Amino acid sequence: MTEELPPITATSLPLAARAPGKCIVFGEHAVVHGAPELVFAHDLETQVFVRPAATTLLNGDPRAGATNPYFARALATLWADGPPIDVRSVSRIPRSAGLGSSAAFVAALAAALGAATGGIDRPTLARRSFDIERSAQGVGSPGDTTAVVGGGFLSINGPSGDPLWSVEDGGRTWQVRRVTDPGWVWVVAHTGVPRSTGDAVRAVGERLSNPDGPALLEEFRNVAEEGMRAVEVGDRGRVAVLLKRNQELLREVGVSHPRIEELLRAAEPAAEGAKLTGAGAGGSIVVLPVPGKETELARRLARAGGLPFVVRPSAMGASVLEAPPPG
Ligand code: PMV
């Protein structure tokens, strides 16, 4: 049976909305080229508060409508005829870390603006959020925005699962499907090294245009497809092996980083498997911990200079909050 995700229903300003972050388990970068990706929404989240104002502001900044590409594009797409608004955002997701901070901001804001303009269904919210993120970043797939709008575990172009919606861009179509959450706890850790998703995506695109590119992409596809099946049946051992294999492929296309490798080594005694997550070249790692060793793992990662978070999948995608915003 196809899952019905609730639409964002109409609400008037002032209002508050939230969206979870995202963690890519298998298939980043390859997904930009049409291969499958497995991603989950995690429970670090971003909240936005929107209220009418005399001038449009983002966190008190009156220039953000021109200088912040995500905010500017969201206003142009979803609020072209709207009155000035004061938007405040608060987030537990580290920025430029590969953990979905920009997707969560865009989806929470799009949910709020969609609610304030008569409501918005979830496939439209996912497509609008992708348009905004894609035009602000210049490149990329709908994986991040899909995860934070859909919540839980999702596959993009995966082999099985209930279809939810599809997203199109530049002649490419990405099919989004629901994947069963195996109910595991994960640990993510930020290296503290910021990077540009756009630069990393372009560098991998060049690498994949080499003669061995198609064979590498096929390897990414096989790992992600097998990984999805292993997650669906709750096979931790197989998932761990495939995380390591996916990391080797990411190294091969040049997006690992010395700090990533240090954190992966530090994690080993308390990890079943681990890899970088997101665009790489800095950013974060995702670890499947040895059950019961989550705290030890977080301690090891912190000692190695990382910023660790023990996370769980967040079943609920972007949503409008019931409580009225402060102030
Ligand atoms: O590091 P992030 O959160 O921007 O993740 C990007 C994931 C990529 O596959 C590298 C790009 C994309 O848009 O899918």
Side-chain angles (χ1 to χ4, degrees):
M1 201 185 75
T2 300
E3 175 183 325
E4 288 291 334
L5 286 173
I8 305 290
T9 50
T11 314
S12 54
L13 296 182
L15 60 84
R18 56 156 290 280
K22 71 96 203 342
C23 175
I24 301 171
V25 181
F26 294 114
E28 54 272 271
H29 284 292
V31 67
V32 176
H33 305 276
E37 176 180 85
L38 178 68
V39 62
F40 68 85
H42 61 68
D43 57 359
L44 303 177
E45 65 175 40
T46 295
Q47 297 185 356
V48 299
F49 304 94
V50 185
R51 61 182 178 179
T55 359
T56 291
L57 303 166
L58 174 61
N59 295 330
D61 181 358
R63 291 160 310 158
T67 57
N68 179 316
Y70 298 96
F71 189 50
R73 185 69 189 179
L75 291 176
T77 311
L78 296 164
W79 202 248
D81 303 320
I85 44 175
D86 177 359
V87 178
R88 289 187 222 166
S89 74
V90 286
S91 182
R92 287 195 62 216
I93 310 167
R95 291 171 71 165
S96 291
L99 295 174
S101 65
S102 58
F105 170 69
V106 165
L109 182 59
L113 300 183
T117 48
I120 184 168
D121 65 64
R122 223 156 259 276
T124 308
L125 179 63
R127 291 184 191 116
R128 295 269 155 79
S129 300
F130 173 54
D131 283 349
I132 295 164
E133 198 189 50
R134 164 83 174 65
S135 72
Q137 260 174 212
V139 286
S141 80
D144 292 15
T145 40
T146 291
V148 307
V149 168
F153 263 82
L154 295 161
S155 75
I156 318 294
N157 292 343
S160 59
D162 283 345
L164 290 182
W165 59 73
S166 61
V167 183
E168 288 173 23
D169 182 55
R172 211 181 268 296
T173 301
W174 288 272
Q175 177 65 52
V176 179
R177 292 173 193 273
R178 172 65 64 207
V179 171
T180 309
D181 175 2
W184 302 337
V185 173
W186 300 78
V187 173
V188 294
H190 181 27
T191 57
V193 180
R195 79 292 172 276
S196 151
T197 298
D199 290 349
V201 167
R202 278 183 283 270
V204 171
E206 276 180 33
R207 174 68 185 82
L208 291 177
S209 67
N210 288 349
D212 64 344
L216 269 173
L217 200 55
E218 193 54 27
E219 269 285 287
F220 273 104
R221 171 182 299 282
N222 293 339
V223 167
E225 286 188 355
E226 211 196 314
M228 286 169 192
R229 284 192 284 267
V231 163
E232 288 230 271
V233 298
D235 184 346
R236 294 179 73 98
R238 194 69 200 137
V239 168
V241 168
L242 293 163
L243 287 171
K244 290 174 197 161
R245 180 73 193 115
N246 201 155
Q247 173 63 18
E248 285 164 13
L249 291 170
L250 289 162
R251 248 179 231 136
E252 179 68 34
V253 298
V255 289
S256 195
H257 184 278
R259 293 289 298 127
I260 292 272
E261 297 296 332
E262 276 171 37
L263 291 189
L264 292 175
R265 274 195 300 278
E268 259 167 29
E272 292 191 337
K275 60 181 268 295
L276 69 81
T277 186
S284 298
I285 64 167
V286 55
V287 189
L288 183 61
V290 173
K293 290 201 174 179
E294 294 80 5
T295 310
E296 177 192 330
L297 175 59
R299 204 163 37 230
R300 285 178 178 280
L301 291 167
R303 279 207 200 106
L307 177 64
F309 299 90
V310 177
V311 295
R312 285 171 190 278
S314 167
M316 193 165 51
S319 54
V320 168
L321 295 166
E322 304 271 317

